[in-house]
Amino acid sequence: MKPRVRFAPSPTGYLHIGGARTALFNWLYARRNGGVFVLRMEDTDQERSTPESVKAILDGLQWLGLDWDEGPGKEGPYAPYFQTQRLATYKKYTDQLIAEGKAYRCGCTKEELDARRAASNDPGWKYDGKCRERKDVPATGAVVRFAMPKDDGALSFTDLVLGKITKTHSDLDDFVMMRADGIPLYNLGCVIDDHEMEITLVGRGQEHVNSTFPQLALYRALGWEAPQFAHFPLILGPDREKLSKRKHPEADVMLHKNNGVLPEALLNFVVRLGWSHGNDEVISVAQMKEWFDFKSVGKTSGVWNPEKLTWLNQQYLKTLAPEEIAKRVAPLMGFDDPRFVKLVLAFRTRVKTTVEMAAAFRPYFEKGVKLDPEAAAKALTAEGKATLATVADALKALPTWAAAPIDEALKKLAESTGQKLGVLAQPLRVAATGSMTSPGIGDTLEILGRDEALARIDAALK
RNA sequence: GGCCCCGUCGUCUAGCGGCCUAGGACGGAGCCCUCUCACGGCUCAAACCCGGGUUCGAAUCCCGGCGGGGUCACCA
């Protein structure tokens, strides 16, 4: 049977890093095994779901390159892919379960429940079953609860990453599966859709292992075979708690995009949080698709490590085609220019993000340069200016303005005067860039162009 | 607190009974390269949570303790 997996986010905010990795793992599994990757919107929380969030999630996945085979915008045979458009299906099965005595209407209000919960003084309070045997609960205004078997049986499943997990019925309760208005809760919607959409494997974060049990109970009540499950380790914030939107700004996928992180790097970073392939660190998407396997997914939660993300980002800055990087920096510059490629080559080992890269490019497109006072004081002393003047004369005599001849001329000059190259290069660097640091002096001057470079030198000489 | 899961350098991890005086990567320290800054190369510091078993032999298997996380909603 063809593997069918899904990513089923709740559109209540931007795409979360944890969600992105869940999507990635499922996507990789589908791609690796010739399966289908389904995107389903679990928008049953009317309070919090918004169209903006749907768009944000779609945009995030697209930016990462995680394309779905069925879902919003790709209506397949199991459409629709928004749960709020599937209400009739949920009603059908809910009615069936009620008729069979496997579910019942409950008229307890939220307030009554809260009161009883508070009175019990039990942090793990479970629904007391008050409405379970009542026959007089009106159909309107009542929620539907699942009637958990009261025997001493148990539910268990073999998780693809965690192994066998078991829970007894007595640890479960009569959870609410449908609201009074006919909108299902998570467990119900999830089970019915996964079955209806013929999902063969459910891959999600470990925060869902406990909810797997009520879902298993539902599968059994409905007489359905449950899919396979794989629960991925959590991604933790610096405080060692589950990465959450509230507490951890880095949970936002798009924040990283805005910070100049490449999707390749983010995917690489996130795939290594919980999954490994021997000692490999820099892993392309193509390699992930070839290697990904639930057997190599670890059980332990991983802590978000910004330094490693940054390092990975630079690895991609250094190895992706310069033309490609240039294309991605262009929007940050607000314009395109053929010199971007040379600038990429000059700066890719010196910056960590595309944002830093754009900032580094900027001075090369301005007339003149503001000198860093400290650098000027160091390199543009009277003595420095004297050597700069000599250097300038040599440069002006150059027939071709390019890195190689410039470097060569400087070397020759240094040899003839017995000076170290640095003595010549630093005043020149400060004059040309205003700073004590820059790419190689030849490259720097070439990219600047003869006219601008000489103009800056003359300005520094004054 | 109940239940569930987990426990190798600061962090991500390799390891799946002998190959481990525990390997790699990020980060840190140092050296080299060098026109500056980077990049790169080399070196160093740094871990098997604790205690019992099982075994000729345990980071690897079992039990207990401790520690961490998750979950207990008409959120997902």
Side-chain angles (χ1 to χ4, degrees):
Chain A
M1 188 163 53
K2 201 175 205 182
R4 289 179 56 84
V5 294
R6 43 64 157 196
F7 174 52
S10 158
T12 55
Y14 54 71
L15 179 63
H16 180 273
I17 284 287
R21 196 196 50 178
T22 296
L24 174 63
F25 280 10
N26 279 292
W27 181 82
L28 288 172
Y29 178 80
R31 294 292 170 263
R32 160 90 197 262
N33 299 293
V36 175
F37 178 59
V38 178
L39 178 59
R40 180 176 75 226
M41 288 292 164
E42 305 215 329
D43 57 349
T44 53
D45 184 340
Q46 304 268 281
E47 303 278 300
R48 300 192 303 148
S49 295
T50 64
E52 293 75 33
S53 298
V54 171
K55 184 174 188 303
I57 289 168
L58 263 33
D59 287 349
L61 291 173
Q62 258 152 14
W63 178 66
L64 289 170
L66 303 179
D67 56 322
W68 52 98
D69 305 306
E70 294 173 23
K74 283 215 169 176
E75 306 304 319
Y78 303 86
Y81 295 92
F82 285 80
Q83 290 192 319
T84 49
Q85 294 170 21
R86 305 172 61 80
L87 268 24
T89 308
Y90 309 129
K91 182 179 189 314
K92 179 175 88 181
Y93 291 116
T94 300
D95 289 346
Q96 177 191 324
L97 288 178
I98 292 174
E100 291 170 355
K102 292 170 179 169
Y104 61 92
R105 294 188 202 285
C106 169
C108 297
T109 65
K110 198 154 199 305
E111 292 67 34
E112 292 167 351
L113 256 19
D114 287 344
R116 273 183 270 164
R117 197 193 322 274
S120 77
N121 254 329
D122 176 4
W125 188 81
K126 295 182 191 61
Y127 179 66
D128 49 20
K130 189 176 177 193
C131 295
R132 188 158 171 159
E133 305 306 333
R134 285 176 62 186
K135 297 289 176 233
D136 58 341
V137 181
T140 53
V143 302
V144 179
R145 284 183 184 273
F146 180 80
M148 189 62 66
K150 290 204 162 171
D151 54 43
D152 57 359
L155 258 6
S156 73
F157 67 101
T158 301
D159 190 274
L160 262 42
V161 350
L162 296 172
K164 187 172 180 180
I165 308 177
T166 302
K167 205 157 205 166
T168 57
H169 289 159
S170 55
D171 284 327
L172 273 3
D173 72 344
D174 291 358
F175 60 92
V176 176
M177 47 188 258
M178 185 177 270
R179 298 174 173 90
D181 58 8
I183 295 178
L185 270 91
Y186 168 61
N187 287 136
L188 213 225
C190 172
V191 165
I192 291 180
D193 285 346
D194 284 339
H195 176 262
E196 292 276 302
M197 295 181 180
E198 298 189 63
I199 297 301
T200 59
L201 187 155
V202 171
R204 69 224 317 191
Q206 275 177 19
E207 72 267 29
H208 289 291
V209 327
N210 284 313
S211 66
T212 304
F213 295 97
Q215 290 170 23
L216 248 19
L218 237 17
Y219 279 108
R220 198 167 57 188
L222 260 359
W224 296 339
E225 192 189 338
Q228 287 190 286
F229 293 97
H231 288 95
F232 312 136
L234 265 19
I235 300 176
L236 273 24
D239 58 356
R240 307 298 173 103
E241 284 187 27
K242 187 175 71 160
L243 208 58
S244 76
K245 299 179 182 183
R246 250 304 151 71
K247 296 167 58 185
H248 311 284
E250 60 268 55
D252 183 359
V253 167
M254 284 309 187
L255 171 79
H256 297 99
K257 179 192 181 210
N258 295 335
N259 283 346
V261 172
L262 301 168
E264 288 87 344
L266 192 56
L267 251 17
N268 194 151
F269 174 72
V270 118
V271 84
R272 283 287 291 104
L273 233 38
W275 175 79
S276 61
H277 183 265
N279 282 335
D280 294 311
E281 294 291 348
V282 180
I283 305 171
S284 70
V285 172
Q287 287 169 319
M288 290 177 205
K289 283 202 265 193
E290 199 174 321
W291 295 336
F292 186 78
D293 188 345
F294 288 131
K295 280 202 280 289
S296 304
V297 172
K299 301 176 176 182
T300 61
S301 304
V303 176
W304 183 261
N305 182 346
E307 287 83 14
K308 190 148 186 181
L309 207 214
T310 300
W311 174 77
L312 275 168
N313 202 231
Q314 191 178 39
Q315 298 308 304
Y316 286 94
L317 246 21
K318 275 165 48 189
T319 53
L320 254 29
E323 293 77 14
E324 176 62 27
I325 301 293
K327 217 164 68 189
R328 300 194 199 183
V329 176
L332 302 180
M333 294 295 289
F335 61 94
D336 207 346
D337 189 284
R339 281 187 290 166
F340 283 179
V341 173
K342 280 184 185 174
L343 281 163
V344 169
L345 259 10
F347 279 105
R348 63 182 180 175
T349 61
R350 279 169 253 259
V351 299
K352 309 286 191 191
T353 67
T354 52
V355 168
E356 285 180 16
M357 195 166 272
F361 285 12
R362 202 118 255 152
Y364 287 80
F365 296 92
E366 285 163 0
K367 287 276 176 241
V369 68
K370 42 189 177 310
L371 301 183
D372 169 47
E374 242 176 85
K378 243 182 195 164
L380 295 177
T381 56
E383 196 184 339
K385 285 186 182 182
T387 62
L388 179 56
T390 318
V391 169
D393 288 339
L395 292 179
K396 280 173 188 161
L398 247 29
T400 315
W401 192 266
I406 291 170
D407 284 332
E408 205 182 320
L410 287 177
K411 247 168 223 156
K412 247 185 222 160
L413 192 58
E415 272 167 32
S416 68
T417 62
Q419 287 170 300
K420 278 189 164 176
L421 198 50
V423 176
L424 264 41
Q426 282 310 88
L428 186 51
R429 188 182 319 276
V430 173
T433 68
S435 144
M436 291 287 280
T437 69
S438 87
I441 194 66
D443 290 325
T444 301
L445 296 184
E446 175 186 326
I447 296 168
L448 231 28
R450 186 175 198 276
D451 293 348
E452 178 62 19
L454 291 178
R456 289 185 185 189
I457 292 167
D458 284 344
L461 247 16
K462 278 179 192 151

